[in-house]
Amino acid sequence: MKQETKSGHELKNAIAAIVGPKYVIDDYFALIPYARDISAFPGVMPGIVVRPKSSEELAEIVKLANRTGYPITVKGGGQAGGGVTKGEATRNIMVDMGRMDEIEVDIENSRVVAGAGSRLSTIDDALRPYGHFINTVIGPYYTATAGGLTSGIAGAGFGKNVSTLGCNWTFVLGLKVVLPNGDIITTGAGPDSNVNREDIYFREVTGPDLTDLFVGSGGAFGLITEVVYRTLPIPKHMKAISYVTPSMEVTWAIQLELSAKERVPYTNTIMFEMTNYMVKAIADGIEGYGAIFYAVEGDDEADIDSRIKEISAVCEKHGAIHGNEKMDHFAMTGTTGTLEMVRDVPSNSCPFMTWESMFPRSKSLEFTKGLQDAFKSVEGHRENATAAGLYLVPMGHIFLTGITIRSGFSTPEAEEHLRKTWRVGEEYMRKVGTCSTYSQGTNSNFIAESWSPNHSKMMNSIKKVLDPKNIMCPGLWNF
Amino acid sequence: MLDKYKKMAFGCSRCGMCIVGEAGYICPIQQHTGGFDQYAARGRNQIAKAILNGELEYSEELMESTFTCLGCNSCHEQCTRMDPLTGEKNIIDETKLTNALRVDLVKAGFGPPEALKSVDAGVQSKHNVFGEPVEKRTKWAEGLDLPKQGDTVYFAGCYASYRNTKIPKATVAVLKAGGVDVAYLGEDEWCCGVPQLADGNIGLAEELIQHNVEALKAAGVKKVITSCAGCFHALKTEYPEIIGKLPFEIVHSSEVIAELIDNGKISLDTEIEKTFTYHDPCHLGRHENVYEQPRKVLNAVKGATFVEMPRNKANAWCCGGGSVVSTAFPEISNEIAAGRVAEAKGTSAETIVSTCPSCENGLNAAARKSKIEVIDLSVLVANAMGIQI
């Protein structure tokens, strides 16, 4: 159906008065790019898109939404994989957080204050001259935003050294948030928990810590406008090695043994099936089931060498063989989200779907096999989708497993196939006690179906108190 | 024409690598407008997809975001999109897709913007982008006695011929000193067609291309040397895509000069105690991958110090004048140029060297305000050889 371009959201002038006319659009054609995230989930057309520069401007927009009853939805870097929030199509005020990208480095206190629209790479760029980094993200390093990652992914996202440092929430000292009523608050030990405090310097607050209310909330309880991260010194040395395993079982045995050690020898690791397009490109014909990549970072080179030896001993004991030079190089870059990971190999493809979920180590092998079977059970998957395959990241006593599926191009048939596959996978995951990690749009609706009655009641109560008119991301978590 | 690029529009993963990359923000237009997705590649790709799916019709509203693209190829450089079925890399060429959108918009009766219509009228009647008299094109060559026929032809281009005649004079003098005798088409050299390839007037572009190729063939040419990055890209890449393989080679003057230095044919012995930085023209750098030769030349200048700008080579920031944006949207173009000049100023350089007369033109106004000089590489080389222009 052809649709003529048209303009005319009722709040355009009022919003333009807050942010300036340059930063608000309501032309039909200009809204099209805002209808979808990177997933195959169907789009939701916003009514208007606005790019505020500050928490204060955003707060005024939220107050306006409250007065007029227009829903607010949000976009960070546009990297969401769980679908856009429903709200009310053609009425939604979509807030594009891209202009809120200021970064304030405070090395003396090992922290950085990042606007919600800051890209992870730009935060690292600001820290690099000081020899620091944040535990950013492996995949969409250039495209995901601080706000999007903190709000939209379980645990505020999986950082560069997720295998040993865990999820990003550990390093989030606090947040600045615009609440659904337009109030601006700070969480953690910030100026709101002590009016005489200047800023957020540490997470530990005497009293309830509100930070986790917003981490992974998708924006249902408020919009994150600033993230304060703890920074870490960049290690002086890094070495890497790769191994090729003969079977899934061997892969698991190796990763279970290494990740259970009192001193985990690697800093980061990731396993891809050899069928993965990234591995195929560098394997040069080496055959096997999986390729495991290890990176070891530290300040003591001798210690790094001994850790590499320890990894090699375990891999070789289980029958894995050392990869080639290109694979070792990829281990240096691909496990840590550096430039080569996202440039030399494509970071994603379209349309694509990724299931990422966290599962206890004890039954993770059975879980992953079940997930693969669920994927393969969808009729026509061979014809409609190219399986990028399984990947695995041990995180202490949790395994993060994911399967990326993708089709060549975004034809309606391919997208429909991926949506079907997603539902089957998501249902399987919930049945065995986990879920995919995206706190976003359609995926949040699947996840909320598994909430217990008590959990659901409490969540709805919090939502009602904070957002009685349900104007903030309505539809998220089935609110 | 957009149909031809369906694979690109449908292949875009909407990831946003076309907005932020290795050098931070990478799209000058996204940064100098309201920053909405319609101004960046991923947004235009979704709009193109909607058109191809029959969900959106061409309209006047589409003109601004379609005609503001600089064609700088920075997004193409960053885009990691691969065809997962064939393994083909970098499948999305946003400049081509945007140019196709422009062609279709114009065919549908929308555009080009008025300022570009006037450029096209000048090109149609006077064969140059300024609409100035045909005979003015050859003024720079007076007294040089350049033959009209020969193995090697120098193609000056409109900007050098009409706005900065030091460039063709210096280029020809340097080449001659290095033993390279060039012929010159004179009034038979027409606009290369780069502006029309970018403004949607594909018919006029084809007319210009046909003429220039015929004129070059008639001159018996085996090699074309140009000192304009835009002409270089057009002749080397766009012409063959439109009319097939050319029976002659195309090289940029910076490549030839670097070779002359390497072979000891020329030496840059006149001391110039200045600090230079180099602005990579998009058409020479990202479009044609010529990065090292101009730097090699700069490093050969006796007494000179060469410093890089933070955004250089594949990450270089556009001068703001690409794809006729300087004509259609001069305010945006000037803002972008001012940003680039400020970046150069921050390196402590006293002079910005470029290899494109159009870039030089775009950077000059901001450079004057910032009290930094802009000079073409061939002029600098002539100075360094003690040649008076």
Side-chain angles (χ1 to χ4, degrees):
Chain A
M1 184 189 72
K2 282 189 193 293
Q3 187 155 356
E4 294 291 337
T5 56
K6 60 184 180 202
S7 313
H9 194 278
E10 225 173 57
L11 299 185
K12 187 174 185 184
N13 290 340
I15 293 174
I18 297 167
V19 297
K22 188 175 173 183
Y23 300 109
V24 56
I25 50 162
D26 65 348
D27 288 324
Y28 174 78
F29 83 90
L31 301 176
I32 289 172
Y34 287 89
R36 295 185 64 175
D37 60 3
I38 56 172
S39 74
F41 286 121
V44 178
M45 199 69 167
I48 193 165
V49 182
V50 55
R51 302 187 86 227
K53 182 66 182 164
S54 65
S55 301
E56 289 71 23
E57 284 186 0
L58 177 56
E60 288 308 309
I61 295 163
V62 171
K63 285 174 190 168
L64 177 68
N66 267 292
R67 288 198 298 274
T68 55
Y70 279 91
I72 300 253
T73 56
V74 63
K75 177 173 182 167
Q79 274 287 328
V84 294
T85 301
K86 286 190 185 75
E88 291 176 53
T90 74
R91 288 190 83 237
N92 291 334
I93 302 169
M94 178 175 265
V95 181
D96 174 342
M97 304 292 276
R99 282 179 73 219
M100 298 172 71
D101 61 351
E102 282 181 16
I103 297 164
E104 188 192 319
V105 177
D106 176 11
I107 286 300
E108 196 183 359
N109 293 302
S110 296
R111 64 183 201 121
V112 60
V113 183
S118 315
R119 263 68 175 185
L120 287 321
S121 62
T122 60
I123 302 170
D124 262 0
D125 289 345
L127 288 168
R128 201 168 296 115
Y130 302 95
H132 275 228
F133 76 104
I134 58 163
N135 188 35
T136 53
V137 66
I138 298 174
Y141 182 59
Y142 295 105
T143 48
T145 57
L149 198 71
T150 309
S151 162
I153 308 285
F158 312 108
K160 170 179 165 292
N161 292 359
V162 62
S163 307
T164 41
L165 295 182
C167 289
N168 288 343
W169 69 269
T170 321
F171 302 94
V172 173
L173 300 178
L175 306 167
K176 185 181 270 188
V177 180
V178 173
L179 294 175
N181 65 357
D183 285 351
I184 301 169
I185 60 151
T186 48
T187 69
D192 283 310
S193 58
N194 180 339
V195 292
N196 299 310
R197 196 150 35 205
E198 287 173 355
D199 211 334
I200 302 166
Y201 292 98
F202 45 89
R203 172 75 171 265
E204 295 77 6
V205 61
T206 312
D209 178 4
L210 290 174
T211 305
D212 276 347
L213 180 65
F214 301 101
V215 169
S217 72
F221 302 136
L223 299 185
I224 296 169
T225 57
E226 265 179 26
V227 183
V228 185
Y229 289 106
R230 183 157 75 84
T231 66
L232 302 160
I234 298 169
K236 290 190 179 101
H237 303 286
M238 180 185 186
K239 290 189 178 177
I241 196 160
S242 64
Y243 274 89
V244 176
T245 61
S247 67
M248 197 179 205
E249 286 74 13
V250 165
T251 308
W252 247 253
I254 291 169
Q255 296 294 62
L256 280 166
E257 185 172 337
L258 285 172
S259 62
K261 282 183 179 284
E262 195 176 342
R263 184 195 72 162
V264 177
Y266 51 76
T267 316
N268 209 350
T269 178
I270 192 164
M271 187 288 297
F272 290 111
E273 282 186 317
M274 295 295 284
T275 50
N276 185 289
Y277 62 105
M278 289 191 279
V279 179
K280 263 188 190 171
I282 54 174
D284 287 338
I286 297 180
E287 289 190 3
Y289 163 74
I292 318 182
F293 302 95
Y294 298 101
V296 186
E297 295 176 343
D299 292 341
D300 179 347
E301 212 172 346
D303 180 52
I304 292 174
D305 288 337
S306 83
R307 286 168 179 249
I308 293 271
K309 275 186 191 160
E310 204 178 335
I311 292 166
S312 297
V314 171
C315 289
E316 285 162 19
K317 182 181 83 183
H318 287 281
I321 56 162
H322 185 187
N324 62 27
E325 205 176 312
K326 280 186 198 165
M327 291 172 73
D328 285 352
H329 176 74
F330 181 80
M332 185 84 81
T333 58
T335 59
T336 56
T338 49
L339 182 66
E340 288 81 355
M341 168 78 173
V342 286
R343 281 200 59 143
D344 288 357
V345 289
S347 57
N348 52 42
S349 57
C350 175
F352 96 121
M353 289 287 201
T354 300
W355 293 316
E356 259 174 356
S357 57
M358 290 184 273
F359 207 76
R361 283 156 37 105
S362 56
K363 287 185 181 173
S364 60
L365 181 57
E366 291 82 349
F367 162 71
T368 308
K369 284 179 174 174
L371 187 57
Q372 281 193 320
D373 288 344
F375 162 62
K376 286 172 184 167
S377 74
V378 180
E379 195 184 341
H381 83 273
R382 280 181 195 281
E383 295 78 21
N384 293 314
T386 309
L390 170 75
Y391 53 96
L392 166 77
V393 180
M395 299 160 57
H397 295 288
I398 299 163
F399 272 18
L400 173 70
T401 55
I403 294 178
T404 302
I405 51 168
R406 62 213 172 95
S407 284
F409 295 96
S410 51
T411 59
E413 296 75 26
E415 296 203 350
E416 180 54 30
H417 172 79
L418 293 181
R419 286 193 286 272
K420 264 191 216 163
T421 311
W422 182 284
R423 180 168 270 285
V424 168
E426 192 64 49
E427 277 167 4
Y428 168 79
M429 282 189 281
R430 285 194 285 122
K431 204 170 109 189
V432 296
T434 185
C435 60
S436 62
T437 57
Y438 299 128
S439 299
Q440 299 147 354
T442 310
N443 197 54
S444 79
N445 304 134
F446 289 148
I447 294 167
E449 286 170 18
S450 291
W451 285 355
S452 75
N454 281 349
H455 188 78
S456 190
K457 192 174 157 190
M458 187 185 70
M459 287 295 178
N460 277 290
S461 303
I462 295 170
K463 177 71 174 171
K464 272 183 190 148
V465 168
L466 289 173
D467 188 9
K469 293 184 179 171
N470 197 19
I471 59 112
M472 192 68 87
C473 304
L476 197 65
W477 309 113
N478 294 336
F479 290 143
Chain B
M1 193 167 182
L2 192 59
D3 277 345
K4 200 174 158 187
Y5 301 103
K6 193 170 183 177
K7 189 174 173 179
M8 295 182 190
F10 279 67
C12 175
S13 63
R14 308 185 283 274
C15 73
M17 287 289 288
C18 48
I19 296 171
V20 177
E22 185 188 3
Y25 289 103
I26 59 122
C27 176
I29 293 301
Q30 191 267 345
Q31 284 294 291
H32 284 270
T33 54
F36 293 101
D37 273 10
Q38 79 212 56
Y39 295 106
R42 86 166 161 193
R44 263 196 312 278
N45 290 339
Q46 301 318 305
I47 291 166
K49 193 175 153 190
I51 291 168
L52 289 163
N53 278 339
E55 295 157 5
L56 181 71
E57 288 184 344
Y58 287 106
S59 68
E60 199 169 345
E61 284 84 359
L62 286 171
M63 276 179 55
E64 193 221 1
S65 56
T66 307
F67 278 94
T68 41
C69 173
L70 290 159
C72 71
N73 246 25
S74 187
C75 51
H76 180 59
E77 193 67 42
Q78 301 294 331
C79 180
T80 55
R81 183 68 170 104
M82 156 180 115
D83 182 340
L85 304 178
T86 64
E88 183 189 351
K89 283 190 169 185
N90 287 82
I91 60 167
I92 302 174
D93 186 332
E94 191 60 22
T95 305
K96 287 193 187 306
L97 187 137
T98 302
N99 285 347
L101 261 173
R102 291 176 181 183
V103 168
D104 288 357
L105 255 177
V106 170
K107 275 186 188 160
F110 306 105
E114 284 307 315
L116 298 178
K117 283 182 186 166
S118 144
V119 169
D120 286 358
V123 170
Q124 185 87 60
S125 59
K126 306 279 181 12
H127 315 140
N128 70 82
V129 293
F130 307 106
E132 291 181 9
V134 173
E135 56 274 17
K136 193 179 165 188
R137 179 181 282 276
T138 58
K139 284 261 181 206
W140 68 267
E142 279 175 8
L144 295 178
D145 291 328
L146 298 175
K148 279 200 82 169
Q149 298 217 320
D151 284 353
T152 306
V153 158
Y154 174 64
F155 193 98
C158 299
Y159 268 90
S161 303
Y162 286 88
R163 289 291 177 271
N164 193 341
T165 56
K166 272 189 175 180
I167 296 173
K169 284 180 187 170
T171 308
V172 170
V174 169
L175 293 174
K176 194 171 181 182
V180 182
D181 290 322
V182 293
Y184 171 53
L185 296 180
E187 289 179 13
D188 278 338
E189 176 192 298
W190 288 8
C191 171
C192 67
V194 140
Q196 291 68 42
L197 289 166
D199 76 9
N201 196 343
I202 191 73
L204 180 55
E206 283 172 359
E207 206 178 299
L208 298 166
I209 291 167
Q210 288 289 356
H211 165 85
N212 282 328
V213 170
E214 288 310 315
L216 287 163
K217 278 183 187 169
V221 67
K222 288 180 183 160
K223 184 190 274 188
V224 178
I225 300 173
T226 178
S227 44
C228 173
C231 298
F232 175 64
H233 169 63
L235 287 156
K236 188 168 182 181
T237 301
E238 302 284 358
Y239 280 30
E241 282 181 15
I242 289 170
I243 60 168
K245 199 179 171 201
L246 302 177
F248 42 80
E249 182 193 0
I250 318 292
V251 288
H252 188 266
S253 53
S254 62
E255 297 176 288
V256 183
I257 294 169
E259 202 180 326
L260 292 175
I261 293 169
D262 271 354
N263 296 339
K265 300 274 179 69
I266 59 170
S267 46
L268 316 186
D269 289 340
T270 303
E271 202 156 307
I272 302 178
E273 281 189 28
K274 272 188 174 181
T275 303
F276 296 95
T277 190
Y278 176 65
H279 167 76
D280 288 276
C282 307
H283 278 135
L284 191 64
R286 279 185 290 267
H287 280 281
E288 296 297 342
N289 213 28
V290 178
Y291 295 115
E292 297 309 325
Q293 291 91 332
R295 287 171 169 80
K296 184 182 270 188
V297 175
L298 276 167
N299 280 312
V301 177
K302 194 177 175 189
T305 306
F306 171 59
V307 289
E308 289 280 12
M309 281 190 260
R311 294 176 291 188
N312 60 66
K313 298 181 183 173
N315 292 323
W317 200 241
C318 177
C319 71
S323 281
V324 293
V325 170
S326 55
T327 309
F329 303 95
E331 280 182 21
I332 297 176
S333 180
N334 291 339
E335 273 181 28
I336 295 167
R340 186 59 168 162
V341 167
E343 188 178 351
K345 191 83 179 165
T347 65
S348 76
E350 299 157 277
T351 303
I352 304 169
V353 179
S354 185
T355 41
C356 176
S358 175
C359 291
E360 185 178 336
N361 190 65
L363 294 170
N364 251 329
R368 274 196 292 273
K369 281 184 201 158
S370 298
K371 304 202 180 336
I372 186 167
E373 180 191 21
V374 190
I375 190 173
D376 189 85
L377 185 72
S378 56
V379 176
L380 173 65
V381 170
N383 292 342
M385 291 172 70
I387 298 171
Q388 295 296 317
I389 305 298

